Amino acid sequence: SFHSLRHAFASLFLLRWFVATYSREHASFLGQFLGTPWFSEPALKESDGSSFPEKAGRDWPGRPLLILARIIGHSNPEIIVNVYIHTMDW
């Protein structure tokens, strides 16, 4: 469903941002999932915000929740924290 696709995108966005920002060593909780194409070096480079220039702009560094909220159409990042942040629960 569209809702499932949106939820999967938001969850992967947060996980990719985490790995791109803090390195694979800090993301060992993902285990073999780190070996998938979603976490390849080219894919992680997309997580620097340059893939969303009209949405990210200068707000990107250190503000992934705000950017994710903008991309998926939420009014503020509080919804992201309440609904999607569980993927970051290590």
Side-chain angles (χ1 to χ4, degrees):
S1 69
F2 179 76
H3 176 76
S4 296
L5 181 62
R6 186 177 185 203
H7 192 86
F9 171 82
S11 299
L12 278 171
F13 180 94
L14 290 172
L15 290 171
R16 284 175 54 180
W17 170 81
F18 182 85
V19 174
T21 303
Y22 294 104
S23 83
R24 292 176 181 282
E25 292 145 11
H26 289 94
S28 60
F29 62 93
L30 290 172
Q32 292 183 346
F33 196 55
L34 282 174
T36 66
W38 291 320
F39 293 94
S40 67
E41 289 307 313
L44 291 177
K45 287 182 182 178
E46 292 177 5
S47 297
D48 67 359
S50 61
S51 298
F52 312 106
E54 72 285 355
K55 304 277 187 191
R58 61 189 180 142
D59 289 339
W60 176 257
R63 301 184 75 187
L65 299 178
L66 175 61
I67 300 310
L68 182 56
R70 288 180 184 172
I71 290 169
I72 64 174
H74 287 305
S75 57
N76 64 59
E78 183 178 344
I79 297 167
I80 302 298
V81 172
N82 291 332
V83 177
Y84 301 104
I85 202 72
H86 67 85
T87 59
M88 305 284 290
D89 187 19
W90 56 83

